[in-house]
């Protein structure tokens, strides 16, 4: 029987967010509200030293004086910061954090997510740190990493055990007052991952963090800090999901990467927060600040697949400070239904012979809006800077929008900058060609979208690429225009 | 006293035309609220007007000094037979201007008193410019001269119309705010050449607004030549509203001036429109040129083509902001935009922001933006063959800009542009003979 557009529409209606289950974990949650006492309480709960408490309070005081940014091309109801619980932890999380102690329900949850913490991943050689709601619940493969001198642990642990590293680097890339949400995060972050790769060490496995917002009425504020010392290499993966809820949940994270001389960091994200239902109700507000500093000869590569969240506001950036440093940004952003995404990157060329590449693919369907916002800046002292940017948008249906806001600022004559952007839809001839060969319309679209996104998918680590491809298909199901 | 305060004090409406009086009052109110734009304003992020607002401008239009045909000759396009309309210090100069019979030319000051123009004032005048920016509002509130040009249905105008605005004041800095309205009838064809020129040593600031209505099937061309003195600044706003199956082109050649800001907006109100926006900018010294373009695709089956080339030397700054908006109704659009720049000095700056906002799915929209240097091997090749470096560079730069010039439809004007480019690049090459 012929698969018609009506069938598709029907399927779209019934299609639910696959990861929208809620796991009944016994959780300890703070009452809603935010003030200095709450921050002190978080700090106390995490058994933090005095300097950290002060650091948080300082950030909070600065945040109070700041205004919420309005410039992004997104419209949403402003979150009420007093109506969020700033701390929620699954109660049974064991301080020993060995895999056996992890709540079995939690493991079940990860199985559902297709992210297993068990053998399967061990075979694939991935060390995982899992953050549920606000607290890191499991870190695997600790021993193997320890042998190499690699530190990979929840940031709350790092604050206690490696204060010298945390003190030196936290806030060095994203200062407390960088922006409204970064300041909020600095004040209330409850956990996240910390990773330090010593000099000359190539991390033997992929490091991975999985974030999940489980509890209702909470916000997630995690903080990730990755420091790659001279000549080291690390590949880092980050994934996120949240249950389906009618309310909007807030996620305001900060990720800081420090790549010292000759180091390389590859940071990949598959973001699949709950995008809200087909009518645009609920969903996660994803307001994230991600930034990297590259010293001499260092390289940072951001890869992201953004399929979730009701509203996304995210610009992973590279400050190319050292000579010969390289920054890369590969992104696929998919929006469907009433999702809104304003995402892109900033490449700041400060050193000589710095290079950056930006490949951004936006796919909009339904009533969604997808914006690329990027900045390429070449300082007057940065000789021979090189940038290549490509932003392509694909539109499905005539109710969605695709927007491009690239900023290019060049103050040095030796710079070479290329920027190109295209917007188009899936060609009827392409679909017809597939149909002729017995590929139904839905499959054909998945095929074409995959081809469109290939440049970025290729940059993802293997097992993530498979997941990401599947995610793309799910996100776009039934969106034939 | 700041310029804004001074303007507030000087504002008065002395016209019996109620429609215009209302426009002026409304616009003045809007300007008072917004004030002059600052770099905090997203649309003015890279262009600061502070340095030119400091000057002590005379607000009342000064009495025009006598200008002879010899004085203005260098600023006309020689070798082009055209209808010349000359304004000196904001006043129309009858002796230097030609009488035009093919089209209707009416001075703004006269039209306001003429009841037969009421319809135009009600439906056309200020309908595109209203509320756009604080500077267009300022123009609406204060303007007292300009032209209203009507091209009759099916009229193919035999010669281009050359509009020249001279500033000749001798005592205080001059703020000039001419206002033009061009209405092109169905099936008509007409070409314009526009130039704002200072022939005085005092600072000048031109705040110009031009509204253009292009009727069905009509063809409209406008060539802007900007090669002013280093103390002359220009903020130009040109709005072009296109009916179905029209072709409208605006060329902007910016070779001089202090601060030049070109706000160029196209509105495609009917299907089958074609909009062409081309620009060449060659700067040196402290000059700044800011090209702000908008193409609003509001109807289906239209296209737009935009090519801007820039060469920046000295401490000059180039700004390009190209916005393309495709409405949901505007299916099957083909929009193309290209902005290429070359920096030839260590202290020059380029800020580019090509911008697409697309709400329709069946479209082909692309933009490209490059910043780079002259090809070293090409330079070497030419030097090997005995072409001096300066000339080789000039040839490459001319080739670089040629995309934006090649479709100029008036041969004499093309020669003039080539000559201006050669002067600007410091060589004596007849580019048009290559």
């Amino acid at each position: 029987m012929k698969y018609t557009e009506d069938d598709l529409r029907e399927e779209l209606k019934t299609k639910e967010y696959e990861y929208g289950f809620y796991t009944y974990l016994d959780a300890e949650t703070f009452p809603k509200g935010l003030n200095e006492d709450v921050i002190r309480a978080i700090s106390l709960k995490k058994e933090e030293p005095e300097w950290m408490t002060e650091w948080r309070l300082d950030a909070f005081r600065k945040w109070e004086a700041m205004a919420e940014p309005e410039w992004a091309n997104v419209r949403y109801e402003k979150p009420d910061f007093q109506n969020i619980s700033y701390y929620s932890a699954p109660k049974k999380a064991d301080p020993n954090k060995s895999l056996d102690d992890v709540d079995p329900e939690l493991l079940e949850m990860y199985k559902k997510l297709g992210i297993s913490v068990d053998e399967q991943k061990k075979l694939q050689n991935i060390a995982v740190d899992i953050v549920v709601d606000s607290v890191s619940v499991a870190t695997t493969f600790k021993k193997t990493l320890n042998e190499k001198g690699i530190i990979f642990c929840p940031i709350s642990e790092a604050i206690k055990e490696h204060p010298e590293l945390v003190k030196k680097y936290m806030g060095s890339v994203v200062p407390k007052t960088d922006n409204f949400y970064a300041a909020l995060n600095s004040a209330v972050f409850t956990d996240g991952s910390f990773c330090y790769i010593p000099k000359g060490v190539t991390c033997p496995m992929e490091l991975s963090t999985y974030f999940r917002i489980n509890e209702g009425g909470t916000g997630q504020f995690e903080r990730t800090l990755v420091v790659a010392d001279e000549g080291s290499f690390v590949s880092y993966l980050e994934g996120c999901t949240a249950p389906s809820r009618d309310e909007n949940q807030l996620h305001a994270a900060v990720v800081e990467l420090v790549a010292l001389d000759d180091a390389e960091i590859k940071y990949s994200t598959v973001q699949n927060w709950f995008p809200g239902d087909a009518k645009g109700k609920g969903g996660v507000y994803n307001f994230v600040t991600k930034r990297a500093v590259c010293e001499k000869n260092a390289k940072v590569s951001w890869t992201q697949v953004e399929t979730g969240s009701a509203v996304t506001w995210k610009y992973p950036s590279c400050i190319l400070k050292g000579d010969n440093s390289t920054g890369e940004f590969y992104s696929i952003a998919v929006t469907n239904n009433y999702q809104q995404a304003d995402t892109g990157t900033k490449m700041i060329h400060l050193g000589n012979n710095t290079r950056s590449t930006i490949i951004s693919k936006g796919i909009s369907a339904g009533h969604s809006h997808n914006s690329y916002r990027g900045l390429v800046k070449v300082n007057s002292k940065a000789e021979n800077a090189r940038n290549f940017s490509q932003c392509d948008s694909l539109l499905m249906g005539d109710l969605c929008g695709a927007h491009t806001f690239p900023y290019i600022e060049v103050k040095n004559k030796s710079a070479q900058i290329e920027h190109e952007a295209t917007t188009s839809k899936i060609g009827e001839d392409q679909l017809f060609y597939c149909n002729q060969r017995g590929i139904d319309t839905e499959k054909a679209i998945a095929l074409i979208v995959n081809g469109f996104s290939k440049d970025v998918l290729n940059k993802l680590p293997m097992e993530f690429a498979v997941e990401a491809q599947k995610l793309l298909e799910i996100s776009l199901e039934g969106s034939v225009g | 006293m700041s310029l804004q305060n001074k303007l507030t004090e000087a504002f008065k409406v002395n016209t019996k035309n109620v429609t215009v009086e209302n426009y002026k009052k409304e616009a003045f109110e809007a300007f008072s609220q917004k004030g002059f734009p600052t770099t905090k304003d997203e649309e003015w992020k890279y262009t600061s007007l502070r340095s030119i607002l400091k000057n002590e401008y005379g607000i009342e239009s000064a009495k025009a000094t006598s200008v002879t045909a010899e004085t203005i000759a260098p600023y006309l396009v020689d070798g082009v037979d055209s209808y010349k309309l000359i304004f000196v210090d904001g006043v129309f100069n009858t002796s230097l201007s030609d009488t035009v019979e093919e089209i209707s030319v009416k001075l703004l000051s006269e039209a306001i008193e003429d009841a037969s123009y009421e319809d135009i004032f009600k439906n056309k005048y200020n309908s595109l410019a209203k509320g756009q920016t604080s500077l267009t509002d300022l123009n609406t509130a204060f303007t007292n001269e300009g032209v209203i040009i009507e091209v009759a249905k099916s009229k193919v105008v035999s010669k281009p119309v050359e509009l020249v605005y001279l500033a000749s004041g001798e005592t205080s800095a001059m703020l000039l705010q001419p206002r033009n309205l061009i209405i092109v009838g169905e099936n008509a064809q007409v070409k314009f050449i526009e130039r704002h020129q200072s022939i005085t040593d005092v600072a000048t600031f031109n705040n110009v607004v031009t509204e253009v209505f292009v009727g069905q099937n009509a063809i409209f061309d406008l060539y802007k030549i900007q090669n002013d003195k280093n103390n002359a600044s220009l903020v130009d706003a040109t709005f072009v509203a296109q009916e179905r199956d029209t072709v409208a082109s605006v060329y902007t050649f910016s070779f001089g001036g202090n601060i030049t800001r070109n706000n160029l907006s196209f509105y495609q109100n009917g299907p089958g429109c074609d909009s062409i926006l081309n620009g060449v900018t060659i700067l040196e010294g402290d000059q700044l040129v800011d090209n702000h373009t908008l193409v609003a695709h509001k109807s289906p089956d239209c296209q737009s083509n935009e090519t801007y080339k820039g060469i920046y030397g000295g401490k000059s700054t180039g700004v390009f902001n190209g916005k393309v908006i495709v409405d949901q109704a505007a299916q099957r659009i083909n929009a193309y935009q290209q902005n290429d720049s070359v920096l030839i000095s260590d202290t020059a700056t380029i800020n580019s922001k090509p911008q697409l906002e697309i709400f329709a799915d069946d479209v082909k929209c692309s933009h490209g933006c490059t910043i780079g240097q002259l090809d070293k091997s090409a330079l070497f090749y030419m030097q090997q063959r005995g072409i001096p470096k300066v000339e080789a560079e000039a040839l490459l730069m001319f080739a670089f800009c040629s995309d934006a010039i090649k479709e100029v439809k008036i041969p004499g004007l093309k020669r003039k542009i080539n000559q201006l480019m050669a002067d600007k690049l410091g060589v004596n090459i007849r580019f048009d003979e290559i």
Side-chain angles (χ1 to χ4, degrees), chain A residues 114-272:
Chain A
I115 302 301
S116 54
V117 203
D118 49 40
E119 288 307 312
Q120 196 193 339
K121 281 275 149 113
K122 277 186 189 163
L123 288 173
Q124 286 176 0
N125 234 15
I126 298 176
V128 189
D129 184 15
I130 297 167
V131 180
V132 172
D133 287 343
S134 302
V135 169
S136 183
V137 291
T139 307
T140 57
F141 267 109
K142 224 167 176 180
K143 209 182 267 170
T144 335
L145 295 174
N146 273 346
E147 281 165 16
K148 292 259 184 188
I150 296 169
I151 305 169
F152 180 48
C153 64
I155 201 149
S156 49
E157 202 178 308
I159 290 168
K160 278 177 271 178
E161 286 170 23
H162 310 280
E164 67 301 336
L165 285 172
V166 177
K167 248 189 200 168
K168 185 170 174 193
Y169 293 110
M170 192 154 77
S172 71
V173 189
V174 180
K176 275 178 277 192
T177 50
D178 188 76
N179 65 66
F180 185 79
Y181 292 106
L184 177 66
N185 176 285
S186 302
V188 303
F189 76 90
T190 36
D191 221 327
S193 302
F194 173 78
C195 171
Y196 173 80
I197 319 289
K199 269 184 201 173
V201 171
T202 297
C203 187
M205 59 188 69
E206 313 265 0
L207 301 183
S208 166
T209 307
Y210 222 90
F211 298 108
R212 180 170 171 83
I213 302 178
N214 200 38
E215 208 58 34
T218 63
Q220 177 142 317
F221 306 91
E222 84 271 352
R223 197 160 179 116
T224 306
L225 175 59
V226 179
V227 181
D229 213 326
E230 289 170 25
S232 63
F233 169 83
V234 61
S235 171
Y236 196 98
L237 317 174
E238 179 195 87
C240 355
T241 57
S244 312
R245 286 187 193 288
D246 284 347
E247 60 183 10
N248 293 109
Q249 281 175 297
L250 177 63
H251 171 250
V254 171
V255 176
E256 294 175 282
L257 308 186
V258 181
L260 297 177
D261 293 0
D262 305 306
E264 182 178 345
I265 302 177
K266 189 175 160 62
Y267 197 100
S268 317
T269 309
V270 173
Q271 185 263 104
N272 187 27

Side-chain angles (χ1 to χ4, degrees), chain A residues 73 369 380 383 395-425, chain B residues 42 45-46 328 331 343-346 348-373:
Chain A
N73 189 23
H369 285 273
S380 59
E383 296 289 333
L395 290 159
M396 299 171 138
D398 55 5
L399 298 170
C400 53
H403 317 289
T404 327
F405 306 89
Y407 292 75
I408 300 160
E409 303 177 17
V410 179
K411 288 192 190 308
N412 188 295
K413 69 166 180 179
S414 61
Q416 267 197 55
I417 313 287
E418 289 165 67
H419 171 97
E420 57 179 39
T422 61
T423 305
S424 55
K425 70 164 190 172
Chain B
E42 177 69 21
K45 189 172 151 81
Y46 300 115
Q328 201 194 317
Q331 300 289 351
L343 296 180
I344 50 172
S345 93
D346 281 325
T349 304
I350 169 80
N351 298 309
S352 182
K353 190 187 167 200
Q355 191 177 331
L356 293 173
E357 290 189 45
I358 294 162
F359 297 90
D361 65 335
D362 194 358
V363 295
K364 269 188 211 150
C365 292
S366 58
H367 67 212
C369 173
T370 65
I371 296 161
Q373 297 81 43

Side-chain angles (χ1 to χ4, degrees), chain B residues 98-116:
Chain B
D98 295 325
T99 35
V100 192
E101 274 161 13
E102 280 187 279
I103 53 178
S104 139
V105 176
K106 185 90 172 171
L107 292 176
L108 183 63
S109 54
E110 289 169 9
I112 289 177
E113 311 294 328
D114 190 335
S116 65

Side-chain angles (χ1 to χ4, degrees), chain A residues 398-473:
Chain A
D398 55 5
L399 298 170
C400 53
H403 317 289
T404 327
F405 306 89
Y407 292 75
I408 300 160
E409 303 177 17
V410 179
K411 288 192 190 308
N412 188 295
K413 69 166 180 179
S414 61
Q416 267 197 55
I417 313 287
E418 289 165 67
H419 171 97
E420 57 179 39
T422 61
T423 305
S424 55
K425 70 164 190 172
I426 293 179
E428 273 158 31
D429 49 340
Q430 290 170 331
L431 282 179
F432 183 66
Y433 183 91
C434 291
N435 288 160
Q436 264 184 322
R437 276 144 192 84
I439 302 167
D440 66 48
T441 307
E442 178 132 302
K443 284 255 161 57
I445 286 178
L447 195 73
I448 293 162
V449 168
N450 257 316
F452 174 75
S453 331
K454 210 177 75 190
D455 294 346
V456 178
L457 288 173
N458 281 347
K459 300 287 171 185
L460 282 172
M462 241 300 269
E463 56 281 351
F464 250 38
V466 176
E467 193 188 330
Q469 256 178 40
K470 249 167 54 191
L471 262 180
L472 283 185
E473 275 172 45

Side-chain angles (χ1 to χ4, degrees), chain B residues 58-72:
Chain B
I59 306 291
E60 303 294 321
S61 66
K63 204 159 187 238
T65 45
S66 55
V67 174
T68 59
E70 286 81 56
T71 331
I72 64 158

Side-chain angles (χ1 to χ4, degrees), chain B residues 206 290 302 348 352 417:
Chain B
N206 287 290
D290 181 348
C302 294
S352 182
I417 299 295

